[in-house]
Amino acid sequence: MEIWINPACSKCRSAVQLLDAEGASYTVRRYLDDVPSEDEIRAVLDRLGLEPWDITRTQEAEAKELGVKEWARDAGARERWIAALAAHPKLIQRPIITADDGTAVVARTDDAVRDALSR
């Protein structure tokens, strides 16, 4: 399992603490330093069963500068969103855990982390 984190994020730190408490085997990816490619973002979206706008932090300053709240949220705009996430990784919701069964979860709660552990 892999967890995408920003170490400055309290939700990320909580998720890592819970993984450690449960004795989970996982890899940490500091996604602001090791930025996911567009293909990796597509793969995670497929695993999550979500669209890029579903995992975009629209309240971030960069999101406001880009005006993402005004962007279309449809199949025609999907690649624009993915490109923005790859170019501005701070906009990616966190933490994201890719589970061993090929799925993924946005692990912002303890329950979501436990869900990933159970897969």
Side-chain angles (χ1 to χ4, degrees):
M1 138 176 16
E2 181 176 80
I3 182 169
W4 292 8
I5 68 161
N6 172 353
C9 168
S10 63
K11 300 278 187 192
C12 293
R13 291 191 306 271
S14 292
V16 167
Q17 287 173 351
L18 182 54
L19 291 174
D20 288 344
E22 295 293 327
S25 175
Y26 64 94
T27 302
V28 170
R29 180 173 186 169
R30 294 179 178 213
Y31 72 94
L32 297 178
D33 299 325
D34 182 7
V35 179
S37 68
E38 290 182 23
D39 284 342
E40 289 174 307
I41 292 168
R42 281 186 207 93
V44 163
L45 288 167
D46 288 346
R47 292 174 80 165
L48 288 166
L50 297 173
E51 293 297 338
W53 45 86
D54 296 325
I55 66 162
T56 300
R57 298 173 56 84
T58 59
Q59 296 302 313
E60 291 287 336
E62 290 177 42
K64 291 177 180 179
E65 289 171 19
L66 293 169
V68 298
K69 278 191 170 185
E70 309 306 318
W71 292 3
R73 295 177 182 218
D74 58 29
R78 189 173 199 264
E79 290 304 311
R80 180 183 189 191
W81 285 84
I82 290 169
L85 292 174
H88 306 275
K90 193 172 188 179
L91 301 183
I92 299 172
Q93 190 59 264
R94 61 193 182 245
I96 294 176
I97 297 176
T98 54
D100 292 337
D101 71 350
T103 62
V105 297
V106 178
R108 296 190 55 76
T109 65
D110 286 354
D111 286 343
V113 175
R114 286 187 185 95
D115 181 38
L117 284 168
S118 71
R119 297 178 183 203

